[in-house]
Amino acid sequence: MKRMTSLRREVLEIIDKSELPLSADSIHEMLDEKPNLSSVYRGLSFLEDEGLIRSISFECETRFYFSSQREPVHFLHCKKCHKTKPFYECFVDSFAKRVAENRDFTITNHVFYFIGICGDCRRKIVSDVEEGRV
């Protein structure tokens, strides 16, 4: 097994403290020392392979990383501004149980997200329409 380097430890600490999923670029900006970005990606890959973090990709090419310590995790993701908000109410459990039983499958975890438009973006769209900018 590869060892837990100081960079990997710092990346893990940043992710564990964050309520929001973070991109590699945003993690890189938060690091005390600035290694090259490829080192950050290698660290993220290691941490994900070890099960210490998880990642998700919404309707964009960017992967976002979040702690595997908070379960279950659900997200609201704005497709306009790409802000993401977590929520922790889990309404999927009874549905997951039914799906698992009907398909002879053991579900060990899940990530659930809604994609839509946040209130700020929706208000801006309405304002732009009302002022004839659209």
Side-chain angles (χ1 to χ4, degrees):
M1 177 173 129
K2 294 180 180 176
R3 68 183 185 92
M4 184 69 114
T5 64
S6 60
L7 173 62
R8 292 171 180 164
R9 246 188 309 282
E10 187 178 0
V11 167
L12 180 59
E13 187 176 308
I14 288 169
I15 292 170
D16 281 346
K17 287 181 179 178
S18 178
E19 281 291 311
L20 302 174
L22 301 169
S23 68
D25 288 332
S26 61
I27 292 166
H28 183 258
E29 289 174 16
M30 294 178 200
L31 291 169
D32 292 334
E33 295 188 24
K34 302 292 185 225
N36 60 36
L37 193 54
S38 62
S39 295
V40 175
Y41 277 108
R42 282 192 301 275
L44 289 166
S45 178
F46 170 83
L47 294 170
E48 192 165 21
D49 288 347
E50 293 297 315
L52 299 171
I53 63 171
R54 297 171 67 189
S55 67
I56 191 167
S57 181
F58 301 103
E59 287 187 331
C60 56
E61 294 180 16
T62 305
R63 289 206 76 67
F64 295 88
Y65 299 87
F66 60 97
S67 175
S68 62
Q69 302 307 306
R70 286 188 218 110
E71 299 296 338
V73 179
H74 305 100
F75 300 106
L76 300 172
H77 181 78
C78 179
K79 64 183 181 178
K80 299 289 276 178
C81 68
H82 299 288
K83 288 182 193 166
T84 302
K85 294 182 180 181
F87 65 96
Y88 299 98
E89 303 98 38
C90 189
F91 51 87
V92 179
D93 289 337
S94 61
F95 175 69
K97 182 178 179 184
R98 200 168 61 245
V99 168
E101 288 172 356
N102 291 342
R103 290 166 179 80
D104 189 28
F105 189 80
T106 301
I107 297 173
T108 59
N109 210 333
H110 69 272
V111 175
F112 190 87
Y113 62 90
F114 291 106
I115 294 175
I117 300 173
C118 70
D120 291 339
C121 289
R122 189 180 63 247
R123 284 185 285 281
K124 183 175 182 340
I125 291 168
V126 169
S127 173
D128 287 349
V129 168
E130 288 173 350
E131 294 180 17
R133 290 187 290 235
V134 177

